[in-house]
Amino acid sequence: MKSPASASWKAPLKFRMPTAENLIPIRLDIEVDGQRYKDAFTWNPYDPDSEVVMFAKRTVKDLKLSPGFLPQIVQSIQLATFRSYEGQDMYVGDKIIPIKLDLQVNHIVIRDQFLWDLNNFDSDPEEFARTLCKDLGIEDPEVEPAIAFAIREQLYEIAIQNVTTARENRISKKGRRAAEHFTPRFLCCFLLIWSEIGGIFFLIRMACKASGAALDLMKLFSFGSSVVRKRKEWDYYKPVLDLLSNEDVHALEAKEERSG
């Protein structure tokens, strides 16, 4: 069942990926006995744990890895982390967030940034990656899944942050309620006296509190800003595609080996 396309910050959602399919990103970088295995893929967190073991066995067999990789792969696929957030509130609000790509896949380097709507639970990173590769004329079949994975990885991190935000909001609200309940009477009198002396200021301050959301929108869309991008910003929001030579690829691989 699909989640609603939008949600107010006052009505928290339960934790999930802000995409049509609730797939989580898994990144592996394992070294055993001088062999190194790197991979990145998505996983359905609702699959039974036995599927993880089967995947690890198949990977070790297909890639002719040493047996020591089997427990390492199983341990590295952290489904428990995702499941620990299940059922917890996740505040999304009206969030449009930037997604950035800076990827090298074989001989192709792609850099891009674009905006993503966290309230659109029908969004599909795989379809987006497919369209982007078609528009840029990219024929390497490994680029498309790499783009989709990079998007999902960033969305997953943001989803976890939204759970933390929801938890902090609950604690903050409890603290405010407690403070309001135990406000000393002399403080109330102080506010009343000053409201008579500086009546206009006090009324304006209260109005600001009551219409904070409207004021935020006014700041965002003030006369100094526009929803239309300025010409000098166009280059920031268009994809950049570079083709590497064999020498460039070997140099980058050697650099990565040294840093790893």
Side-chain angles (χ1 to χ4, degrees):
M1 184 175 71
K2 294 181 179 179
S3 300
S6 62
S8 169
W9 65 270
K10 294 182 180 179
L13 302 168
K14 297 302 179 182
F15 174 75
R16 59 156 294 154
M17 285 286 288
T19 54
E21 291 188 275
N22 202 24
L23 303 175
I24 60 173
I26 303 291
R27 186 182 291 276
L28 303 181
D29 189 353
I30 304 170
E31 188 170 353
V32 177
D33 299 331
Q35 283 184 300
R36 190 176 185 183
Y37 167 57
K38 295 180 65 177
D39 202 356
F41 49 86
T42 57
W43 195 276
N44 185 343
Y46 305 116
D47 285 346
D49 293 340
S50 58
E51 292 288 333
V52 176
V53 178
M54 292 176 59
F55 170 82
K57 289 181 177 179
R58 187 167 57 250
T59 300
V60 169
K61 180 181 178 181
D62 293 346
L63 300 181
K64 296 181 174 56
L65 301 174
S66 67
F69 276 93
L70 180 56
Q72 295 280 358
I73 293 174
V74 172
Q75 185 179 1
S76 297
I77 300 179
Q78 292 289 339
L79 301 182
T81 302
F82 175 89
R83 292 168 181 169
S84 68
Y85 290 103
E86 283 190 296
Q88 297 191 43
D89 289 342
M90 178 180 75
Y91 284 107
V92 177
D94 298 324
K95 282 193 176 180
I96 305 294
I97 55 101
I99 296 291
K100 295 186 178 182
L101 301 179
D102 189 355
L103 305 172
Q104 183 218 330
V105 183
N106 300 326
H107 288 72
I108 294 177
V109 173
I110 180 170
R111 299 182 182 88
D112 196 7
Q113 65 174 334
F114 41 85
L115 300 178
W116 198 276
D117 184 2
L118 292 182
N119 279 318
N120 182 8
F121 287 88
D122 292 326
S123 65
D124 188 341
E126 286 72 25
E127 178 62 27
F128 178 91
R130 191 157 41 248
T131 302
L132 181 60
C133 287
K134 182 179 179 181
D135 291 345
L136 296 178
I138 298 175
E139 298 180 355
D140 187 332
E142 295 184 26
V143 176
E144 181 185 313
I147 292 174
F149 181 87
I151 295 172
R152 285 192 176 275
E153 198 168 38
Q154 293 176 63
L155 293 177
Y156 183 50
E157 292 176 1
I158 292 169
I160 292 176
Q161 292 172 8
N162 288 340
V163 172
T164 303
T165 300
R167 190 182 301 123
E168 291 174 350
N169 284 347
R170 287 198 301 272
I171 295 173
S172 177
K173 287 179 181 178
K174 289 180 180 178
R176 285 199 300 270
R177 283 198 295 266
E180 290 170 0
H181 181 72
F182 292 105
T183 300
R185 293 197 177 193
F186 71 85
L187 177 61
C188 296
C189 295
F190 177 80
L191 292 174
L192 287 173
I193 292 170
W194 276 97
S195 68
E196 293 176 1
I197 297 175
I200 296 177
F201 173 77
F202 183 72
L203 289 174
I204 291 175
R205 184 173 180 80
M206 292 299 291
C208 289
K209 287 185 177 180
S211 59
L215 287 175
D216 289 342
L217 289 175
M218 289 174 65
K219 290 179 182 178
L220 182 62
F221 297 109
S222 63
F223 292 109
S225 64
S226 171
V227 295
V228 179
R229 293 194 186 111
K230 299 176 182 178
R231 182 177 293 273
K232 64 181 180 181
E233 296 177 346
W234 289 359
D235 289 339
Y236 294 113
Y237 287 92
K238 73 177 183 180
V240 176
L241 187 65
D242 290 328
L243 298 179
L244 302 178
S245 64
N246 290 331
E247 291 76 12
D248 292 333
V249 173
H250 294 326
L252 288 172
E253 289 176 349
K255 183 179 179 181
E256 183 180 355
E257 286 294 331
R258 290 194 299 270
S259 62

